[in-house]
Amino acid sequence: MRLRNITGSREVIAENEYVVQEPKEQKGKWKSFFGNDNPVHLEIGMGKGRFLMTLAEQNPGVNYIGIEKYSSVLLRALQKMEQNPLPNIRFIRMDAEEITEVFAKGEVDKIYLNFSDPWPKDRHAKRRLPSRQFLARYDEILNPAGDLEFKTDNKDLFTFAEEEVAETKWEIRAITYDLHNDSKMCEGNVMTEYEEKFSSKGNPIYKYIIGR
Ligand code: SAM
């Protein structure tokens, strides 16, 4: 994503009805924020948001929240929302490191990580969204019955992610090293922007579903 400095993106976001401006104030109150009792599903590092918007359209009985660090990227999602507004989706511009300040214990029912940034240098491992440091944060906010789905085309990142799971109380419930040729795991698969780009180059897509 090279769109980090689109002029005015912060201003647009500050006024947009689909962006939660003070997300920490909603901690523990997300169901009343949405005005219903539906489950809350998150995508962390959602990019331009196509994945989450498709799911929100398919599943009106789920509340979706997309988390993205950069205003200029989030702006692209908002532009897409204008073309097809949906009542069951909202966005937060934030660094996922602060996620436990925004969601209370067990308040989230599902988490998606899609094509997370690889942070290839060892010293940056704890910034990777499937790292054990992030798994500990997800453990706090995710309902005990909930699960986390991660997909990527980056083999090194996926290997790292599997190794991190082994160091925690999380368990792998399902795994594939070639999602698009795995009929069971690919059933109902919604492609992300990155997934379309990299699978069209012939890269296999790796995916796990974990729970605890
Ligand atoms: N999920 C999308 C997809 O699959 O097409 C976008 C993938 S893109 C490689 C990763 C996205 O995660 C970027 O938009 C980046 O800004 C966002 N991101 C990375 N680290 C983040 C963090 N700590 N908190 C929130 N967003 C983050």
Side-chain angles (χ1 to χ4, degrees), residues 131-187:
S131 67
R132 68 190 75 181
Q133 289 83 358
F134 272 101
L135 291 179
R137 297 178 181 116
Y138 308 146
D139 182 41
E140 259 189 78
I141 64 169
L142 188 68
N143 180 318
D147 57 25
L148 180 152
E149 300 194 7
F150 169 53
K151 54 183 174 176
T152 182
D153 70 317
N154 186 311
K155 193 170 193 317
D156 289 345
L157 181 64
F158 195 69
T159 303
F160 166 83
E162 282 184 87
E163 287 167 1
E164 291 295 271
V165 170
E167 296 298 323
T168 67
K169 64 178 172 181
W170 292 79
E171 287 172 0
I172 294 182
R173 303 256 161 92
I175 192 161
T176 177
Y177 299 96
D178 190 359
L179 177 64
H180 295 178
N181 287 306
D182 182 324
S183 54
K184 191 162 174 242
M185 280 195 72
C186 203
E187 204 183 322

Side-chain angles (χ1 to χ4, degrees), residues 1 43 45-47 67-70 73 94-97 114-117 129 134 192-194:
M1 299 274 173
E43 185 186 6
M46 65 151 195
I67 292 174
E68 171 54 48
K69 192 166 164 181
Y70 292 107
V73 183
M94 64 177 270
D95 190 318
E97 281 190 16
N114 292 317
F115 295 78
S116 307
D117 292 339
L129 293 180
F134 272 101
T192 78
E193 275 98 353
Y194 271 65

Side-chain angles (χ1 to χ4, degrees), residues 1-65:
M1 299 274 173
R2 293 186 186 279
L3 304 164
R4 286 172 192 169
N5 297 314
I6 292 181
T7 316
S9 57
R10 273 185 185 261
E11 290 76 5
V12 172
I13 284 163
E15 288 167 10
N16 192 283
E17 60 185 314
Y18 285 98
V19 180
V20 185
Q21 305 296 341
E22 301 291 346
K24 291 179 188 173
E25 287 178 10
Q26 300 306 327
K27 182 172 178 176
K29 302 182 222 162
W30 284 102
K31 287 206 198 277
S32 59
F33 171 86
F34 280 101
N36 58 46
D37 229 6
N38 295 341
V40 173
H41 293 188
L42 302 185
E43 185 186 6
I44 302 179
M46 65 151 195
K48 298 181 202 163
R50 186 177 74 181
F51 171 83
L52 214 58
M53 288 181 219
T54 307
L55 285 184
E57 197 164 14
Q58 289 176 350
N59 304 293
V62 176
N63 299 320
Y64 290 94
I65 300 178

Side-chain angles (χ1 to χ4, degrees), residues 86-100:
L86 296 163
N88 58 330
I89 186 165
R90 290 292 182 274
F91 305 109
I92 303 175
R93 193 199 62 75
M94 64 177 270
D95 190 318
E97 281 190 16
E98 296 183 2
I99 200 124
T100 55

